[in-house]
Amino acid sequence: MQATAYTYDPETRTGQVLLDDGTPVPFDAPAFDAGGLRLLRPGQRVRIETEGEGDARRITLVTLHTF
C-alpha cells in the first residue's frame, strides 16, 4: 500500500503517514526500522505494510516507494 509521510520524529523514529484518502495512520520505531530507512521527510511517498483491520490496523513496515 502507498502513503505519504506526514510526521516523523528522528529521536523516537515514530511518526504518521497519510493514506490516499487522507486518513492518518501512526507507525512505531519497529515499523520504521524494518524498512531500513535513516530519515523520513514529510511529503515523501512511502510504501507501507499493515496488519489488522479498522481501529486495530497497524503499520509493520515503512520504506520508500520506488517505481
Side-chain angles (χ1 to χ4, degrees), residues 2-26:
Q2 296 177 30
T4 302
Y6 182 52
T7 65
Y8 175 67
D9 180 346
E11 290 189 22
T12 62
R13 298 182 324 281
T14 62
Q16 289 184 320
V17 298
L18 291 177
L19 302 181
D20 289 342
D21 68 1
T23 303
V25 181

Side-chain angles (χ1 to χ4, degrees), residues 21-50:
D21 68 1
T23 303
V25 181
F27 62 87
D28 56 15
F32 182 79
D33 294 343
L37 299 175
R38 296 186 317 178
L39 182 66
L40 192 59
R41 291 185 307 257
Q44 283 182 301
R45 275 307 263 182
V46 294
R47 185 176 68 84
I48 60 171
E49 292 181 8
T50 63

Side-chain angles (χ1 to χ4, degrees), residues 25-26 28 30-31 49-61:
V25 181
D28 56 15
E49 292 181 8
T50 63
E51 65 181 23
E53 299 280 330
D55 291 340
R57 177 173 44 188
R58 69 180 201 88
I59 295 175
T60 58
L61 175 112

